[in-house]
Amino acid sequence: MCFYDNLVIVEDMRKREYLGQLELMVLLAVIRPAQDAYGVLISREIAAKSGREVALASVYAALERLEKKGFVNAALGEPTAERGGRARTYFKPTAAGLREARDAHRTLQRLSSGLSSLEGETV
Amino acid sequence: MIERTPPQLATWLLKKCGSPYHGDSLAGDLIEQYRQGGNAVWYWKQVTAAILIARVRAIQTMPWAAVHKIVSRQLAETAAVLALVVIVDQARRTHSLAEMMNHTFGSILIVLMAVVVIGFLVSMRVDKPRQGQAAINALMLAFGVIALGVGTLTWADTTRGDSCRTPACVCLNK
């Protein structure tokens, strides 16, 4: 690989916003539910599917980054008494967000296909 | 049915120090989860995490502004301290104000004071919402430098008067 190729890769990385692991998990959790996703639902979805509890603030930090990248849209709901008079913020994936999640999923599938060490429990 | 109230101090801290990004919704989510079976320890952990994440995020979103501000403020403070050291050193070396105010001393002092002023102006420009505070800091620093400088000069002058009774000093003054 020559110096020019490295420059092209760096330029490509600069132009494109890559998703972190938590961002991808949050984006997938936003895409998954039939009803509108909000903080509690997203964190429960991640905990249920990954087996790890994630701090709600981490979920919101990831959502902030995703919204800035244009992958999700936020909309404020109505305040409710069970939440101390505070409203829910509902999140929906954008077309760019769906495309990004699809790309990431395909890339991960291609990268992991044929790796025998990933199939068993032991390394 | 009586609704459980989460620790009020934690809720207050979250409101004051948490992230501005959908902060109310995050607080509402925490209250909702607390009322569905969370405990005080869990609530405090979530609030602590939220505050820490908000602080880190605040630094991450404006790294250059923060670095700019810290470096310029540090530079200004270092220059102010150096100016003081130069004044004290010059006062100890010389015996009169006229002798003290030589060309080299004046140039060094002007350069250092310029660094102090520019450093503070830059840090004030970066931190626009706290311009008033920065101006007060700059004034206090300038007052400190002047007061300490004048004090040092007075002290040096007094010491010179006492020590000048020695034969060597009398010889020099002649």
Side-chain angles (χ1 to χ4, degrees):
Chain A
M1 190 180 281
C2 70
F3 179 70
Y4 179 75
D5 291 334
N6 283 325
L7 274 183
V8 170
I9 289 168
V10 170
E11 185 61 17
D12 187 43
M13 284 173 77
R14 197 182 63 80
K15 277 183 194 165
R16 189 175 167 181
E17 298 275 12
Y18 281 91
L19 289 179
Q21 191 190 7
L22 182 64
E23 282 173 27
L24 183 59
M25 285 201 290
V26 170
L27 181 59
L28 292 172
V30 170
I31 294 169
R32 180 176 286 271
Q35 68 217 71
D36 287 338
Y38 73 103
V40 175
L41 213 63
I42 295 166
S43 73
R44 277 187 191 155
E45 189 72 27
I46 292 170
K49 295 289 185 289
S50 71
R52 283 181 292 177
E53 200 188 335
V54 184
L56 258 169
S58 304
V59 170
Y60 271 88
L63 284 166
E64 184 182 359
R65 290 194 293 270
L66 288 171
E67 198 180 351
K68 273 187 184 161
K69 288 172 185 174
F71 297 154
V72 295
N73 280 333
L76 209 60
E78 292 296 317
T80 56
E82 63 161 351
R83 297 166 54 86
R86 290 165 174 90
R88 283 176 182 168
T89 302
Y90 294 104
F91 296 91
K92 275 183 178 175
T94 61
L98 286 169
R99 200 165 47 241
E100 189 67 28
R102 206 177 298 128
D103 283 356
H105 178 65
R106 275 182 197 154
T107 307
L108 286 173
Q109 270 189 328
R110 270 187 237 128
L111 282 168
S112 55
S113 67
L115 292 177
S116 56
S117 55
L118 290 183
E119 286 163 11
E121 283 286 315
T122 52
V123 179
Chain B
M1 183 184 155
I2 300 166
E3 282 185 330
R4 295 168 65 217
T5 310
Q8 288 188 346
L9 177 63
T11 308
W12 181 81
L13 280 172
L14 180 64
K15 192 180 174 186
K16 292 287 169 194
C17 312
S19 169
Y21 178 79
H22 297 301
D24 243 20
S25 296
L26 171 61
D29 283 355
L30 287 176
I31 292 169
E32 186 183 326
Q33 277 202 303
Y34 178 81
R35 285 181 176 164
Q36 287 171 1
N39 57 37
V41 175
W42 173 86
Y43 193 82
W44 270 106
K45 270 163 84 175
Q46 291 284 337
V47 169
T48 308
I51 292 168
L52 287 175
I53 288 166
R55 295 299 95 203
V56 172
R57 194 95 183 97
I59 295 167
Q60 279 177 341
T61 49
M62 50 168 190
W64 287 111
V67 169
H68 205 192
K69 183 187 159 188
I70 291 164
V71 167
S72 55
R73 182 66 62 90
Q74 285 291 318
L75 206 66
E77 284 172 2
T78 308
V81 171
L82 272 175
L84 261 179
V85 169
V86 167
I87 292 169
V88 171
D89 187 53
Q90 186 72 354
R92 290 178 76 178
R93 280 167 194 266
T94 56
H95 295 281
S96 69
L97 199 62
E99 198 184 335
M100 189 178 159
M101 289 296 174
N102 62 38
H103 182 70
T104 318
F105 172 71
S107 309
I108 291 171
L109 207 60
I110 286 168
V111 169
L112 288 173
M113 291 315 284
V115 173
V116 172
V117 171
I118 291 167
F120 268 98
L121 285 177
V122 169
S123 66
M124 276 164 66
R125 199 177 66 84
V126 171
D127 195 11
K128 277 182 181 169
R130 292 188 183 170
Q131 272 190 5
Q133 185 64 42
I136 291 167
N137 284 348
L139 278 174
M140 280 172 70
L141 190 73
F143 176 76
V145 170
I146 291 164
L148 275 172
V150 169
T152 310
L153 284 175
T154 314
W155 168 76
D157 210 35
T158 316
T159 315
R160 186 184 65 84
D162 292 341
S163 63
C164 213
R165 289 184 191 127
T166 59
C169 189
V170 170
C171 282
L172 273 172
N173 283 342
K174 279 178 184 174

